[in-house]
Amino acid sequence: MAVKLSDQTIKLIKGKNFAFVGTLMPDGQPQVSPMWVEYDGSHIVLNSEVKRVKVQNLRRDARVSVSIADMENPYQYVEIRGRVVDMTTEGAPEHIDRLANKYLGQDTYPYNQPGDQRIIMKVEPLSVSGTATGSETQAA
């Protein structure tokens, strides 16, 4: 069951703060990547290139951990555990451009390579912990 995120957690997500996204490799080892992040009102929204290891991991095992620290005060952080409930390439190029504007102040994502295909991943938050959690209630 999804948890409702507090205003404090949403503020961290909406800020210019990096998310560290943890997935599981096929042998169970953890894999962590820094990523740009967004919130759509109910899901943590991530964007990646379809060939990336994290995307392959999440296609196989939808469980994910997203840790976000305040860039101004890293002692203020949240860890959101959840699962990817949707993956789509539809709208992904426009989405990465929006994230480039948020994080880089640029209208277009500057790091695309020829043949890259972007994908949007939506994470349903199932539990939240950390120092900047506010009033979230943990899912059972």
Side-chain angles (χ1 to χ4, degrees):
M1 174 185 211
V3 296
K4 183 176 176 356
L5 301 182
S6 70
D7 291 343
Q8 194 173 1
T9 295
I10 292 168
K11 183 179 176 184
L12 270 181
I13 297 167
K14 288 186 173 183
K16 198 174 173 178
N17 301 304
F18 288 89
F20 292 86
V21 178
T23 66
L24 294 171
M25 298 294 290
D27 65 0
Q29 290 185 69
Q31 182 271 333
V32 178
S33 300
M35 296 185 73
W36 295 343
V37 64
E38 187 174 68
Y39 184 65
D40 71 2
S42 57
H43 299 97
I44 310 301
V45 185
L46 307 168
N47 189 306
S48 189
E49 207 282 321
V50 296
K51 295 180 290 203
R52 301 270 184 229
V53 169
K54 65 184 144 284
V55 175
Q56 302 311 310
N57 287 344
L58 291 169
R59 283 185 168 151
R60 188 190 68 264
D61 185 337
R63 293 177 295 171
V64 63
S65 175
V66 180
S67 179
I68 305 165
D70 186 330
M71 295 288 281
E72 303 282 321
N73 178 7
Y75 294 106
Q76 292 295 308
Y77 74 93
V78 294
E79 181 202 11
I80 302 162
R81 294 183 188 179
R83 62 185 174 91
V84 172
V85 294
D86 186 42
M87 295 178 99
T88 183
T89 57
E90 188 174 325
E94 295 81 10
H95 181 250
I96 196 63
D97 288 343
R98 187 167 61 247
L99 289 172
N101 186 269
K102 172 184 173 179
Y103 285 91
L104 301 174
Q106 298 183 22
D107 292 333
T108 304
Y109 179 68
Y111 305 116
N112 277 329
Q113 299 297 313
D116 279 357
Q117 184 178 19
R118 305 301 303 186
I119 189 164
I120 296 171
M121 298 162 286
K122 292 187 177 186
V123 176
E124 177 183 42
L126 299 176
S127 69
V128 181
S129 61
T131 59
T133 59
S135 62
E136 287 97 352
T137 52
Q138 302 293 320

